[in-house]
Amino acid sequence: MPTRLSIAVPDDFDLPRDACSYGYFLLAPNLWNPDDLSLSRPLDLDGGPAKVRIRQPSRPGGPLRVDTDRTLDPAERAEVRAQVTRMLRLDEDASHAARFHSLDPRFKESGRFRLFRSPTLFEDVIKTVTSCNVTWTSTILMNRRLCECFGRGGSFPTAPRLARTPPALLRGRCSVGYRDRRIVEIARLFTGRAITTGATPRRIPPVDAQTLESPATTDQAVLDSLLALPGIGPYAAANIMQLLGRYSRLPLDTESVRHGKTILGFKGSPAQVMKRVREHFVPMGDQAFRSYWFELWRFYESRHGPAWTWRRDSTGRLFTSAHLST
DNA sequence: GGTAGACCTGGACGC
DNA sequence: GCGTCCAGGTCTACC
């Protein structure tokens, strides 16, 4: 027997705009359907996996209608509410929008300020690792296989599941390459265990997700904790920080260089262009990433149409340098 | 502190 | 169909 939940949202919330706002909405197990404007995916709940389908019949501001494929008990309903709230950043309201739009009024009319993310920090971290040093098509593949091979009911694999997976098996089944060991080590850290790793062995304390998610923790403390994780460098740490709602740092990569050259008109070596891109967004202060990202996103939409029209298995595969370079 | 090279995979390209 | 080259961020060794 399916369960239907109704979740209240901020007045401005618009599901197609706010769900299709960051590339992870195109990665498994997420599935955006442009035909009926719904977001579907399995969620791993205490009582087992459950598929959810999220719609917003009355937009903007109307409550979300969340349908599941099985009956949920009260505790599981609370879990779904918490995970949907995290994914869609329902806790970011008009005050967050005003803060961003006062610094960058270009996006006031569209109302863009929310950035899609995963239902758990662990999924965000692993998705970030799978996006490093690969083309977008490989990132798509890795996430699909992780869900198919190690997720319950097609959901994203949990930390305990990946923590007990042999790295070679992960590599063989999911094409994660040399990231195999790093992913397993991160999973172990998320299960509350410390590890010792590296060519010059160093001890890494367990990840305290609650502290990382807490607004009371300083940006510097979060950054230091993230950089200590295996496979997490400056780019990945900055990206995870924006996924944690901390927008002052830019995850600069080769895509930033392309953007700096073609859209912002900067010249020079990749390192010089990156430096100029970073400086360009300094005036945006603690909203720098939002300003940078929605500028980038606007470029993608100019190429491929509004993001809510993109399909995971067609348009969603086109975000490679070959398709984006001018 | 700065930097070159290794790490892997999928895709593009030439034959 | 096969071989080669390239893109991509992090880690390590070395200067």
Side-chain angles (χ1 to χ4, degrees), chain A residues 173-211:
Chain A
R173 293 199 180 167
C174 304
S175 301
V176 296
Y178 63 85
R179 299 163 198 78
D180 56 355
R181 195 172 149 197
R182 296 173 185 176
I183 288 173
V184 172
E185 287 177 339
I186 289 172
R188 286 178 181 158
L189 290 166
F190 267 82
T191 61
R193 280 185 276 172
I195 63 165
T196 300
T197 188
T200 309
R202 62 188 174 107
R203 182 184 181 278
I204 306 175
V207 170
D208 182 350
Q210 215 168 1
T211 301

Side-chain angles (χ1 to χ4, degrees), chain A residues 6-10 61-64 81 85 90:
Chain A
S6 179
I7 300 180
V9 300
L64 299 180
R81 286 180 189 280
T85 295
L90 300 181

Side-chain angles (χ1 to χ4, degrees), chain A residues 100-113:
Chain A
F100 171 49
H101 295 146
S102 68
L103 283 162
D104 194 341
R106 293 177 299 168
F107 302 102
K108 188 170 183 179
E109 190 178 343
S110 67
R112 278 206 178 279
F113 75 99

Side-chain angles (χ1 to χ4, degrees), chain A residues 4-23:
Chain A
R4 172 168 288 181
L5 299 176
S6 179
I7 300 180
V9 300
D11 289 344
D12 73 292
F13 185 84
D14 185 46
L15 183 65
R17 180 196 65 195
D18 294 335
C20 307
S21 55
Y22 189 66

Side-chain angles (χ1 to χ4, degrees), chain A residues 233-245:
Chain A
Y235 163 82
N239 192 56
I240 295 166
M241 288 189 75
Q242 69 85 6
L243 291 162
L244 284 165

